[in-house]
Amino acid sequence: MHCVQEVTPQIFWVGGNDRRLERFENMFPLPHGVAYNSYLIMDEKTALMDTVDSAISALFLENITHVLNGRQLDYLVINHMEPDHCANIEELVRRYPEVKIVGNKKTFQFIGQFYQAPLQKNFYAVQEGDELSLGRHTLKFFFAPMVHWPEVMLTYEQSERILFSADAFGTFGALSGNLFSDQADFEAVYLEEARRYYANIVGKYGMQVQTALQKLSGVEIRMICPLHGPVWRSNLSYILDKYDHWSKYLPEKNGVVLIYASMYGNTENAMNVLAAKLSQKGLSDLRMYDVSKTHPSYIIADAWKYSHLVFGAPTYNMGLYFVMEALLRDMAGLQLQNRQVALVGNYTWAPGVVVKALRGLVEGMKNMEIIAPPFEINSAMKPEQEPALDQLAEAICASVRQLG
Ligand code: FEO
């Protein structure tokens, strides 16, 4: 049975949800599933905005058949060629042989790479700023390379002022019937997942997101239709502001995330003592993670949110405990920057090794300030080290307060 929703009287959501997929891109846990959105415009000409992941192809094709109601599909706009959105191109050409596939040079290059079938006869190339009339509706194309792949386009429908935004403004989390963000409690249900999606999927491309936001700054937008998560038809400034912060690598909140690795509990103990001191000194909303327990995507999402990060780790193989090393390399790869950092190291027979490794990785990232000398323990923290840890806690509190 088809399952479609009306976005406007002539535009229909024809996507679907997947709550069975364990990991997005086979990496990121999906405890609340994911939505794959696709939108069909019914005008003198019909136009479909992207397709969906192969996991939900059957329903998607049924949705399109239902909405087209015997009509032909005239245009298939490919805003993004990643397989979670482009899995059905060949099948749509099989069903609608005259359909024009709207894309750019990169789009067509990637279609050639992902598909066996010769689809060139269906290609309809557009340039930046080109317009395509469907009748009452007119599409205008803005190129947004690297938000999140090089071929990405944003398609703006001029008569209803709707932006089809590809991955931008999307989120993990399936739709629970409510298509629009104002029908859900977005902050409670989606915000954490939207941040985790942004930081881990698009985070590296902050500069390109800023370029796209600038490009759209003169465009009047009434509705944002992303490829994942709810549609925005009200309070657009909320999600635009989040994207502005995230893509500038500006923390949303002054606060501390404590991130540790610990083999036998001794580094964990030092981090707990430090966290308790921070709390006693008045810091609230502290976050703490064990890198061996929590998937890095959640830790990275909080690193995007908060201003201060404390990394604590033991020495391993005369270097850094490798799960912590992997997390820091992941953060560096995503270009996380502009954070205040404190370091805690643990060694049994090789002093200085782990704090040197931590410092090297942190200093390799842009605008990361190490706010105090590292605190080191020798196998386990001793009561006589408390004054030194007090000093570190004081330095962290002072730095947090300095930000306001
Ligand atoms: Fe949802 Fe970049 O794909």
Side-chain angles (χ1 to χ4, degrees):
M1 167 77 186
H2 60 267
C3 181
V4 305
Q5 293 218 44
E6 193 177 293
V7 179
T8 73
Q10 285 183 283
I11 300 180
F12 298 87
W13 176 83
V14 290
N17 297 292
D18 187 349
R19 288 185 173 80
R20 294 185 176 196
L21 184 66
E22 195 60 39
R23 291 186 177 227
F24 188 78
E25 295 182 353
N26 216 8
M27 269 200 289
F28 305 105
L30 287 175
H32 311 293
V34 65
Y36 302 111
N37 298 333
S38 170
Y39 307 90
L40 183 50
I41 305 176
M42 299 297 290
D43 204 324
E44 290 167 27
K45 297 286 185 186
T46 60
L48 183 66
M49 300 292 123
D50 294 288
T51 79
V52 295
D53 189 88
S54 58
I56 60 162
S57 292
L59 174 66
F60 169 69
L61 293 166
E62 195 173 342
N63 286 347
I64 291 171
T65 304
H66 170 73
V67 176
L68 284 174
N69 194 21
R71 290 185 61 187
Q72 288 301 304
L73 180 62
D74 297 306
Y75 295 104
L76 167 58
V77 177
I78 302 296
N79 288 309
H80 189 14
M81 257 309 288
E82 195 163 3
D84 55 332
H85 308 293
C86 76
N88 302 271
I89 297 175
E90 198 175 308
E91 179 58 28
L92 285 170
V93 173
R94 207 172 289 132
R95 292 178 178 215
Y96 307 101
E98 301 305 316
V99 67
K100 297 273 182 287
I101 302 171
V102 180
N104 56 53
K105 216 170 137 189
K106 273 278 172 215
T107 322
F108 299 145
Q109 178 195 324
F110 291 167
I111 288 177
Q113 290 171 207
F114 278 107
Y115 282 97
Q116 306 293 332
L119 299 170
Q120 291 86 344
K121 68 174 176 42
N122 298 86
F123 289 173
Y124 183 97
V126 291
Q127 307 289 332
E128 167 86 29
D130 277 1
E131 295 184 8
L132 174 63
S133 173
L134 306 175
R136 192 169 82 78
H137 296 85
T138 302
L139 305 178
K140 183 169 181 170
F141 304 99
F142 295 92
F143 291 4
M146 301 318 298
V147 184
H148 134 247
W149 276 22
E151 82 296 355
V152 167
M153 304 193 302
L154 311 178
T155 298
Y156 178 65
E157 197 294 301
Q158 300 187 44
S159 73
E160 302 205 64
R161 306 192 299 283
I162 297 176
L163 182 71
F164 297 95
S165 64
D167 275 342
F169 311 111
T171 176
F172 293 138
L175 299 169
S176 301
N178 296 129
L179 177 62
F180 298 97
S181 63
D182 57 30
Q183 295 174 317
D185 185 341
F186 187 86
E187 287 214 328
V189 177
Y190 289 110
L191 179 58
E192 298 280 324
E193 286 293 77
R195 188 185 296 106
R196 187 166 70 95
Y197 173 87
Y198 177 86
N200 289 278
I201 307 294
V202 194
K204 180 180 171 64
Y205 306 111
M207 204 168 72
Q208 290 84 352
V209 172
Q210 277 295 313
T211 303
L213 290 172
Q214 296 290 327
K215 209 179 261 192
L216 295 171
S217 61
V219 179
E220 194 188 340
I221 300 169
R222 188 176 65 87
M223 196 181 290
I224 297 175
C225 293
L227 287 177
H228 301 286
V231 168
W232 289 83
R233 66 178 175 189
S234 61
N235 201 14
L236 269 57
S237 59
Y238 176 86
I239 193 68
L240 286 164
D241 182 63
K242 290 289 180 206
Y243 259 66
D244 193 40
H245 266 79
W246 294 339
S247 58
K248 285 177 177 162
Y249 305 94
L250 296 174
E252 293 162 78
K253 193 163 179 188
N254 297 333
V256 183
V257 188
L258 299 108
I259 305 158
Y260 67 83
S262 191
M263 284 186 280
Y264 300 106
N266 292 303
T267 310
E268 179 184 11
N269 172 247
M271 294 292 276
N272 274 318
V273 176
L274 174 60
K277 288 180 183 302
L278 295 175
S279 181
Q280 284 154 16
K281 288 174 189 296
L283 294 191
S284 55
D285 193 26
L286 295 167
R287 300 293 175 107
M288 184 177 262
Y289 295 105
D290 180 336
V291 294
S292 300
K293 177 78 175 178
T294 304
H295 190 274
S297 63
Y298 292 93
I299 303 174
I300 286 170
D302 261 2
W304 235 264
K305 179 177 178 184
Y306 291 94
S307 58
H308 286 67
L309 309 174
V310 183
F311 297 102
T315 315
Y316 201 89
N317 284 342
M318 289 305 283
L320 176 56
Y321 188 84
F322 68 81
V323 188
M324 178 62 86
E325 178 162 345
L327 175 73
L328 280 160
R329 290 196 185 283
D330 197 353
M331 285 180 176
L334 291 166
Q335 308 279 357
L336 179 67
Q337 47 195 273
N338 302 329
R339 296 297 185 272
Q340 274 68 45
V341 176
L343 304 176
V344 173
N346 189 356
Y347 69 95
T348 296
W349 66 88
V353 168
V354 73
V355 289
K356 187 176 171 206
L358 283 167
R359 180 186 285 280
L361 287 166
V362 169
E363 287 180 346
M365 296 155 77
K366 209 171 158 189
N367 294 335
M368 301 291 264
E369 183 196 358
I370 298 176
I371 57 174
F375 178 78
E376 259 194 308
I377 58 172
N378 188 194
S379 303
M381 188 181 163
K382 302 294 186 305
E384 56 267 30
Q385 288 186 291
E386 239 193 317
L389 197 60
D390 270 323
Q391 277 186 6
L392 180 62
E394 198 48 60
I396 294 169
C397 287
S399 177
V400 171
R401 292 197 181 103
Q402 200 180 8
L403 292 180

